[in-house]
Amino acid sequence: MGLTWKQRAFTALLGTAAVSGLTALLLILVGTINVLLPPDTKFGIVFDAGSSHTSLFVYQWPANKENDTGMVSQALACQAEGSGISSYASNPARVGESLQGCLEEALALIPKAKHHETPMFLGATAGMRLLSRKNRSQAEDVFAAVRQALGQSPVDFRGAELLTGQDEGAFGWITINYVLGLLVKYSFSGEWIRPLEETLVGALDMGGASTQITFVPGGPILDKTTQATFRLYGADHTVYTHSYLCFGRDQALSRLLAELVQAFSSFYYTFHFLNLTSKPSLSEANATIWEFCLLPWKLVEGSAPPDQDPWLRDYCASGLYFLTLLVEGYGFSEETWGGIEFRQQAGGTDISWTLGYMLNLTNLIPAEVPAPRRAQSFGVWTAGVVFLVLTLAATLGAVGVQLFWIQD
Ligand SMILES: *[C@@H]1O[C@H](CO)[C@@H](O)[C@H](O)[C@H]1NC(C)=O
Ligand SMILES: *[C@@H]1O[C@H](CO)[C@@H](O)[C@H](O)[C@H]1NC(C)=O
Ligand SMILES: *[C@@H]1O[C@H](CO)[C@@H](O)[C@H](O)[C@H]1NC(C)=O
Ligand SMILES: *[C@@H]1O[C@H](CO)[C@@H](O)[C@H](O)[C@H]1NC(C)=O
């Protein structure tokens, strides 16, 4: 006697289940590849509302989260018309206008389809810190006007707020270490590696109305108010950060020189002008600054016409001020001075707190080290699902045959 119908059906169904189950398994094991998701670009906008002027930065990064490190780049830097937002204290209604030009430039750069998903922030620093101390309600009015103006734009406006000096220092520290690739790196062997903590750099920032110093201290921090702690890529970082309000260049110079209208900031410009950006020694820097200061004005004017460089008359004062701040204030000596580098940019990105701020708010710097991911192409995935369904159906069929087929 041959097999019964029941036996044949059972065998066939079981065979089908086995074959399709194996196929699905093979597809999962072999058909899975390491992928780079299509490089869909994302954008973010940050306004840096400083004491002397407001700048806008547009950042862009590939949407694939897993290798975003070091991938955020600056797509646009724009300087808003007029002076800082704190100067609109008596006329807050006009502050929105001053930001429109840059905002329009940013919106023209970012594809329309991405506008609604582009986060935008405004962070205000020392100028507004001063105003808010002087007259809180005026500062609130300025912020309200800013929020009203920016809230009408088609992007995802996340707010305008006052940053503490500590935040400013901490975000600046994150920016420089991120841009230099010192927080985490994607190694050639395809692994995420964390560079040694000793390679992290400190940050000194000279703003218009405040100065910040931030670094990983050698010992414990006694004054906890100067401590900032964050978790980046699975590592805890504790930095010392301190901001000195009113010791920014403008404030100090205003005391020296009756009036001074600046639109530029940072150590960089002064040291750049004096040709001191390529790691000069302390004595070299000191000698160069003094030499410049002792030059007769006619000679200075002759070398660089003041109509081309409106800050010409300030380089001597700001150079001496920086030197004094670094040596007398922060206690740099000939030995420790060697490690200072004066930078405005790194890797095409302006070094300011704005990038660190955006990285933090958009969670682009995860608290944990990102894990590599595995993925399947859509075709393979579909086939896998079909085979899995087939396996299930055949198995159920076989069970059904065994239990319910009453025959013979
Ligand atoms: C991502 O990482 C891979 C592997 O290191 C590299 O080849 C690729 O250029 C990176 N691309 C992006 C968009 O990050
Ligand atoms: C703050 O500014 C408002 C509006 O300009 C004014 O009415 C008020 O008197 C000021 N307050 C102080 C404490 O100066
Ligand atoms: C800088 O140079 C001046 C004049 O040569 C000198 O008096 C001063 O002590 C020097 N300062 C430093 C920190 O080297
Ligand atoms: C980063 O952002 C979070 C909110 O998302 C905030 O709680 C945290 O304090 C920020 N980090 C720093 C260093 O300010």
Side-chain angles (χ1 to χ4, degrees), residues 7-59:
Q7 281 166 329
R8 272 189 223 163
F10 181 72
T11 313
L13 283 169
L14 210 59
T16 310
V19 169
S20 88
L22 268 176
T23 313
L25 190 65
L26 273 177
L27 281 174
I28 289 168
L29 291 179
V30 180
T32 310
I33 41 167
N34 283 321
V35 284
L36 290 177
L37 300 177
D40 187 22
T41 306
K42 289 187 177 274
F43 296 88
I45 304 174
V46 187
F47 280 97
D48 171 2
S51 58
S52 51
H53 67 274
T54 302
S55 306
L56 170 148
F57 296 95
V58 176
Y59 297 106

Side-chain angles (χ1 to χ4, degrees), residues 36 62 64 67 71 186:
L36 290 177
N64 48 335
N67 74 357
M71 290 304 297
Y186 199 66

Side-chain angles (χ1 to χ4, degrees), residues 36-37 39 62-64 66-71 186-190 192:
L36 290 177
L37 300 177
N64 48 335
E66 67 186 270
N67 74 357
D68 50 21
T69 307
M71 290 304 297
Y186 199 66
S187 72
F188 286 113
S189 57
W192 291 95

Side-chain angles (χ1 to χ4, degrees), residues 368-383:
E368 299 308 321
V369 178
R373 268 172 231 161
R374 308 265 294 163
Q376 291 174 325
S377 74
F378 186 67
V380 172
W381 179 78
T382 312

Side-chain angles (χ1 to χ4, degrees), residues 385-398:
V385 169
V386 167
F387 279 110
L388 276 178
V389 169
L390 190 62
T391 308
L392 194 67
T395 311
L396 285 177

Side-chain angles (χ1 to χ4, degrees), residues 89-403:
S90 52
N91 192 5
R94 304 202 55 138
V95 70
E97 259 170 68
S98 73
L99 306 177
Q100 279 316 315
C102 278
L103 184 57
E104 274 162 27
E105 234 181 275
L107 292 180
L109 178 90
I110 301 169
K112 257 209 170 65
K114 297 200 180 294
H115 283 178
H116 69 283
E117 63 180 47
T118 300
M120 177 164 79
F121 315 95
L122 180 139
T125 56
M128 286 300 283
R129 245 173 260 151
L130 284 173
L131 177 62
S132 146
R133 278 191 190 184
K134 230 165 47 190
N135 189 330
R136 204 179 183 81
S137 78
Q138 275 187 339
E140 286 308 321
D141 289 349
V142 171
F143 274 125
V146 166
R147 287 186 194 116
Q148 216 234 334
L150 296 185
Q152 288 168 357
S153 65
V155 300
D156 174 15
F157 178 56
R158 305 267 189 98
E161 59 177 9
L162 188 62
L163 292 191
T164 65
Q166 236 111 321
D167 288 340
E168 196 181 346
F171 291 132
W173 182 88
I174 293 178
T175 301
I176 180 71
N177 283 288
Y178 177 88
V179 169
L180 294 177
L182 300 176
L183 293 176
V184 73
K185 262 188 187 151
Y186 199 66
S187 72
F188 286 113
S189 57
E191 275 162 19
W192 291 95
I193 51 168
R194 211 161 43 229
L196 293 175
E197 179 145 66
E198 291 85 74
T199 61
L200 293 171
V201 298
L204 276 165
D205 170 31
M206 175 61 68
S210 70
T211 176
Q212 284 77 236
I213 182 164
T214 310
F215 57 91
V216 178
I221 298 173
L222 299 179
D223 178 0
K224 295 296 174 206
T225 61
T226 60
Q227 175 176 308
T229 309
F230 22 84
R231 190 170 176 78
L232 315 170
Y233 297 114
D236 287 314
H237 297 278
T238 299
V239 296
Y240 169 89
T241 175
H242 198 91
S243 174
Y244 301 88
L245 193 57
C246 296
F247 284 91
R249 194 207 47 239
D250 292 2
Q251 294 284 328
L253 284 189
S254 312
R255 290 180 197 153
L256 283 168
L257 316 159
E259 36 83 7
L260 180 83
V261 185
Q262 299 275 23
F264 85 111
S265 62
S266 100
F267 293 105
Y268 179 80
Y269 293 94
T270 300
F271 281 76
H272 177 71
F273 174 83
L274 295 170
N275 237 340
L276 286 173
T277 46
S278 52
K279 291 206 171 194
S281 69
L282 172 55
S283 55
E284 254 177 288
N286 188 41
T288 308
I289 291 167
W290 277 96
E291 208 174 288
F292 177 75
C293 287
L294 292 174
L295 281 182
W297 179 244
K298 280 261 170 289
L299 225 67
V300 177
E301 261 184 324
S303 62
D307 53 327
Q308 275 176 29
D309 193 341
W311 301 295
L312 195 60
R313 57 168 201 170
D314 301 325
Y315 289 127
C316 164
S318 50
L320 284 177
Y321 172 58
F322 293 159
L323 204 64
T324 310
L325 179 76
L326 292 171
V327 175
E328 310 286 334
Y330 290 141
F332 280 94
S333 63
E334 189 69 71
E335 294 81 55
T336 48
W337 177 278
I340 307 182
E341 205 173 320
F342 297 91
R343 289 242 207 166
Q344 181 198 20
Q345 281 206 328
T349 299
D350 283 296
I351 301 169
S352 97
W353 56 267
T354 48
L355 177 57
Y357 182 65
M358 195 200 69
L359 290 172
N360 183 53
L361 285 176
T362 52
N363 259 326
L364 271 176
I365 292 199
E368 299 308 321
V369 178
R373 268 172 231 161
R374 308 265 294 163
Q376 291 174 325
S377 74
F378 186 67
V380 172
W381 179 78
T382 312
V385 169
V386 167
F387 279 110
L388 276 178
V389 169
L390 190 62
T391 308
L392 194 67
T395 311
L396 285 177
V399 170
V401 164
Q402 200 60 297
L403 289 182

